[in-house]
Amino acid sequence: MVLFQEQELSIRELERGDVDLLVKWLSDPAVLMYYEGRDRPHDKEMVIESFFGDQEADEARCIIQYQSKNIGYIQFYPIGEDEIKKYEYESYNGRVYGMDQFIGETDHWNRGIGTQLIQAIVAYLIDHKGATKIVMDPQVRNERALRVYEKAGFVKKKYLEKHEWHEGELGDCWLIEYDVKA
């Protein structure tokens, strides 16, 4: 089912038939350099466990399409209690959503699609899910992604030292935030 379409970009729900697509993307060293790590190429079993396992309420797992071609993956969800504490949102009364994404078709990198995607998802989460803040925690070294997110209105809020296991070590990340009221 298509959640929304904006110009040549559309977001549809993940389907069981997408397993091989995710295996393809998540075994590509160029993609894994930024998502999951080159030491963690995914096979079918890993994809099924990670992407088709237990799903939280109101969590969406989706395929990104551009010009009707499947090019990547995105997920978004209300952040849980652990993240609320870690990110220091205990006193915040609004709806905070998290999101993660990657463009798996590397020939679609550096074409402005990521910026269009992030802007479209932010608008969707605000308009359809009532999000008042949207957060992500990209790796500090992923400068290209950080530029895309900042272009879409996200700001760096907190440096997360040794936050994410990536390629054999705990790497630093940024907590970035899109605040609807900002």
Side-chain angles (χ1 to χ4, degrees):
M1 179 177 101
V2 174
L3 293 183
F4 72 87
Q5 182 167 352
E6 183 178 294
Q7 298 170 4
E8 298 175 295
L9 178 76
S10 60
I11 305 298
R12 68 166 175 81
E13 291 180 352
L14 185 66
E15 300 168 353
R16 200 67 165 175
D18 295 322
V19 170
D20 290 337
L21 193 56
L22 288 167
V23 169
K24 173 188 166 201
W25 294 334
L26 294 172
S27 59
D28 181 339
V31 174
L32 291 172
M33 183 183 305
Y34 300 104
Y35 196 92
E36 294 292 332
R38 291 169 287 192
D39 59 344
R40 294 200 63 227
H42 282 51
D43 58 19
K44 281 187 177 188
E45 185 177 311
M46 287 176 73
V47 164
I48 290 168
E49 182 180 324
S50 297
F51 294 85
F52 294 90
D54 293 339
Q55 195 167 340
E56 298 293 322
D58 213 17
E59 176 185 5
R61 298 174 182 172
C62 303
I63 294 293
I64 304 161
Q65 296 179 313
Y66 187 76
Q67 297 176 334
S68 301
K69 179 183 179 183
N70 298 320
I71 66 161
Y73 174 81
I74 188 163
Q75 61 186 20
F76 48 88
Y77 45 88
I79 67 169
E81 290 301 316
D82 290 344
E83 288 173 305
I84 286 172
K85 288 178 186 163
K86 185 181 346 180
Y87 298 157
E88 300 173 0
Y89 288 122
E90 295 98 337
S91 63
Y92 182 72
N93 292 324
R95 288 185 54 87
V96 184
Y97 267 76
M99 56 191 260
D100 304 289
Q101 61 280 319
F102 64 86
I103 294 178
E105 296 295 331
T106 57
D107 61 333
H108 284 69
W109 289 6
N110 301 313
R111 293 177 46 188
I113 298 167
T115 301
Q116 183 183 352
L117 168 69
I118 299 305
Q119 291 169 337
I121 288 292
V122 164
Y124 177 82
L125 291 175
I126 293 166
D127 295 343
H128 297 279
K129 299 294 184 178
T132 54
K133 284 189 191 291
I134 302 162
V135 297
M136 291 187 275
D137 56 1
Q139 300 167 19
V140 168
R141 63 182 190 78
N142 195 347
E143 294 174 7
R144 182 177 59 228
L146 284 163
R147 280 192 303 275
V148 167
Y149 304 147
E150 288 173 333
K151 199 184 313 182
F154 283 81
V155 295
K156 293 174 180 169
K157 296 302 279 187
K158 183 178 179 182
Y159 193 84
L160 304 169
E161 193 172 345
K162 298 184 187 303
H163 178 70
E164 180 179 85
W165 190 260
H166 187 82
E167 298 187 352
E169 63 184 23
L170 282 171
D172 300 342
C173 296
W174 276 108
L175 170 63
I176 61 173
E177 171 186 279
Y178 183 97
D179 189 341
V180 175
K181 295 176 179 129

